Amino acid sequence: MQPIISVVVPALNEELYIQETLSAIRKACKQIVSQGKRVEVIVIDDGSRDSTFELAVPWADLIVQHPRPYGKGTALQTGYKMSRGHVLVFLDADLGHTAEWFPSLIEPLTSGRSDMVIAHLPAVSQKSGFGLVKKLAKQGVYRLSGFEPSAPLSGQRAIHREVLEKIGRLSGGFGVEVGLTIDAVKLGYRVDELPIPFSHRVSGRDIGGWLHRGKQLYAVSGTLWNRWRQPIC
């Protein structure tokens, strides 16, 4: 039986980017299929109030619509449960044309070098926050697992299904990546970071940007507290 790669894309009000992102994913899927693998593209519409669902339908093999926003972690959990893949790839919905780089995440897994691969994105020139959430996440992951990440908040990653099954939990909201990294390292899995030229929307220093970072800070703090209180074993 051909191995299956499941690409899971959580989306909330991404009508401006979703078509370009999914089109790029579909373009890259041809490369994977040529290698004798199968690919499924799963979109989780996390309660969008715009046209995200309608625009994603033509591009997805499966699309699930949450009745209201449950958060990124829950969206990824839904996608994982609905998937069939031996390898799962998590991609943000706002990557646009750069989503076509996602096969680079898979190769270290299929070659047996890694159990989870995290994309390290290029630095951006646009001013955003002051890096407080990233610093908290980086230090928290290191203190709780011994692994020092360069991209602790990166949502672009590939992981073996058996790793997710062994972990058995995903944090809610924007703390999902931090929790996943800590749990995978603590269980002895090989976690690597790989520079990949993805790019996506950067939150600015406006009200929307500060609200987004506030939610991130709250979620990451909660995840670190949870992982300290209830370490995986």
Side-chain angles (χ1 to χ4, degrees), residues 128-172:
S128 54
F130 299 106
L132 296 178
V133 181
K134 183 176 180 180
K135 289 178 182 178
L136 173 65
K138 185 174 182 178
Q139 292 176 5
V141 171
Y142 176 72
R143 289 178 180 273
L144 292 175
S145 71
F147 176 71
E148 188 170 2
S150 299
L153 301 174
S154 176
Q156 324 325 313
R157 55 185 66 201
I159 185 170
H160 283 298
R161 186 180 200 90
E162 64 184 50
V163 177
L164 285 172
E165 291 175 345
K166 180 65 174 179
I167 290 173
R169 62 181 181 178
L170 287 176
S171 297

Side-chain angles (χ1 to χ4, degrees), residues 72 90-92 153-157 177:
K72 187 177 184 181
F90 298 145
L91 298 176
D92 291 342
L153 301 174
S154 176
Q156 324 325 313
R157 55 185 66 201
E177 290 91 3

Side-chain angles (χ1 to χ4, degrees), residues 144-145 163-170 179-189 226-233:
L144 292 175
S145 71
V163 177
L164 285 172
E165 291 175 345
K166 180 65 174 179
I167 290 173
R169 62 181 181 178
L170 287 176
L180 187 55
T181 301
I182 292 171
D183 287 346
V185 173
K186 295 259 307 175
L187 287 174
Y189 290 109
N226 174 269
R227 293 307 186 267
W228 179 69
R229 291 293 302 273
Q230 299 179 357
I232 199 165
C233 57

Side-chain angles (χ1 to χ4, degrees), residues 190-203:
R190 296 163 298 174
V191 177
D192 292 305
E193 293 182 307
L194 189 66
I196 299 178
F198 290 127
S199 66
H200 60 91
R201 181 180 64 252
V202 177
S203 300

